[in-house]
Amino acid sequence: MSETRERIKCLIIGSGPAGYTAAIYAARADLHPVMYTGMEPGGQLTTTTEVDNFPGYPEGIDGPALMIDLQKQAERFGTQVRMGMVTEVQLSKEKGGIHQVCVDNSTWVEAETIIISTGATAKYLGLPSEQRLRGGGVSACAVCDGFFYKGQDVAIVGGGDTAAEEATYLANICNKVTMLVRKDELRASKAMQHRVFNTKNLEVRFNSEVDEVLGEQVVEGLRILNNQTGEKEEINITGLFIAIGHKPNTEIFKGQLDMDNTGYLITKGKSTKTNLPGVFASGDVQDKEYRQAITAAGTGCMAALDAERYLATVESNEEVAAK
């Protein structure tokens, strides 16, 4: 006896701002979306204490509270939000084809369209003190959280273009920025290096690594290790920004969807369309430039609209074929 699989018109994988916005639009379009939250319901914002740059919240809002609001709004229009991790996909290459999705290595469902909103995970150093103080002064997004350290002394870890850009951004609002670079040179482009070295309140320390983040409840300082001499030094800071890259959560799509050399999904033009019909990507999983909650939400809206239009063309073709 063959297994009966649930058929879903619009399946959303991931539950950050992109996923929930896609769910709101898809539900209002009667696509009856089903969302699987993944291992981190709410996405990266659940690790952020205060969000001051999401429109509509003049007094700011806690990251987890914002995600609860988005979930309630999506559910209000009929989205089914389910706890579960998509562990395998078998994507159809045919227009109008049905995509097979396995949840938690056990349950298979069928989807006419899929919106991928699995996001990207910030890379951290892996120190216990760093992990303990995430949200208490340790951040992976200077643009998101730098405002809270206005006029204070902070440090940033990294030597690439992103680190250089975020360091100069912080230097505009902070008293002093200490940039810790593990090697003896910056990997950033020459133009970004010029910006770094010409910023007066930005100090670059080469061959330097974080040995320990100091502080009990919030960041109070940093112990720095010189990896050439073995010498350690403590400095006083209130914020530590990690800018050593992000890893897109795209492992299960490898070999089926087009990606760039770092694993970000490639979408066509200004759309959210992937290389396979009926499969769309939104949020940080396809955006390594901006990585903001509001831009993720915008692409979530786009993905739902793209899915709705795709289904309309498929249904039109079926009607023509039936005549």
Side-chain angles (χ1 to χ4, degrees):
M1 184 175 177
S2 62
E3 178 187 4
T4 301
R5 297 184 179 182
E6 179 184 13
R7 175 71 64 89
I8 296 169
K9 187 175 285 289
C10 179
L11 175 66
I12 300 171
I13 307 175
S15 55
Y20 278 128
T21 305
I24 291 167
Y25 275 80
R28 286 169 59 86
D30 289 335
L31 301 189
H32 310 293
V34 172
M35 170 188 286
Y36 281 100
T37 61
M39 290 183 65
E40 190 176 38
Q44 292 185 63
L45 276 189
T46 57
T47 64
T48 303
T49 51
E50 291 184 64
V51 179
D52 266 350
N53 55 5
F54 198 91
Y57 294 92
E59 302 302 320
I61 185 171
D62 286 348
L66 173 59
M67 299 318 302
I68 290 171
D69 281 350
L70 288 176
Q71 179 176 342
K72 288 179 178 178
Q73 189 172 0
E75 290 176 327
R76 173 188 163 204
F77 296 112
T79 302
Q80 291 187 46
V81 178
R82 302 176 180 175
M83 299 294 290
M85 180 80 176
V86 171
T87 49
E88 185 181 346
V89 294
Q90 297 174 6
L91 304 177
S92 173
K93 297 180 180 179
E94 305 297 325
K95 183 173 182 179
I98 303 301
H99 308 289
Q100 311 291 328
V101 176
C102 184
V103 181
D104 294 331
N105 293 308
S106 58
T107 304
W108 285 87
V109 296
E110 298 179 343
E112 297 177 37
T113 59
I114 294 178
I115 296 176
I116 301 169
S117 305
T118 49
T121 302
K123 295 179 182 178
Y124 284 89
L125 303 173
L127 297 172
S129 56
E130 170 205 45
Q131 296 303 306
R132 177 171 52 81
L133 290 169
R134 282 176 60 180
V138 175
S139 168
C141 182
V143 177
C144 309
D145 300 326
F147 174 81
F148 301 111
Y149 303 91
K150 191 173 183 179
Q152 302 175 40
D153 292 352
V154 301
I156 185 166
V157 179
D161 277 334
T162 298
E165 184 175 355
E166 294 199 345
T168 53
Y169 167 81
L170 289 167
N172 287 328
I173 57 178
C174 297
N175 179 57
K176 181 183 178 181
V177 179
T178 301
M179 187 175 186
L180 305 179
V181 183
R182 184 167 54 89
K183 297 184 178 180
D184 59 2
E185 62 180 2
L186 292 174
R187 291 184 293 105
S189 63
K190 291 298 182 182
M192 290 304 301
Q193 290 188 41
H194 290 315
R195 284 176 58 183
V196 167
F197 294 129
N198 288 327
T199 302
K200 291 183 179 180
N201 62 334
L202 203 171
E203 178 188 0
V204 181
R205 295 195 177 194
F206 294 107
N207 301 313
S208 297
E209 301 180 25
V210 177
D211 184 63
E212 189 80 12
V213 186
L214 307 176
E216 289 300 320
Q217 302 299 321
V218 296
V219 173
E220 297 175 1
L222 206 60
R223 186 160 64 236
I224 302 170
L225 169 69
N226 184 305
N227 56 30
Q228 295 296 303
T229 66
E231 183 180 348
K232 295 181 181 181
E233 179 187 354
E234 293 186 4
I235 62 172
N236 294 322
I237 60 166
T238 54
L240 174 63
F241 297 88
I242 311 299
I244 57 175
H246 287 71
K247 182 180 184 299
N249 301 318
T250 56
E251 192 69 30
I252 62 172
F253 307 108
K254 285 185 176 178
Q256 299 185 69
L257 295 178
D258 290 345
M259 305 177 185
D260 68 10
N261 57 5
T262 54
Y264 285 88
L265 295 181
I266 296 173
T267 50
K268 297 180 180 179
K270 294 183 178 180
S271 76
T272 63
K273 300 174 184 176
T274 67
N275 58 299
L276 293 183
V279 181
F280 309 91
S282 64
D284 288 8
V285 77
Q286 52 85 55
D287 171 26
K288 58 183 177 182
E289 289 294 325
Y290 302 103
R291 297 196 300 268
Q292 299 298 301
I294 191 61
T295 52
T299 56
C301 162
M302 293 165 59
L305 295 176
D306 285 341
E308 179 187 7
R309 292 166 183 167
Y310 167 80
L311 286 169
T313 62
V314 169
E315 289 166 2
S316 296
N317 290 340
E318 289 176 349
E319 289 173 3
V320 171
K323 291 180 179 179

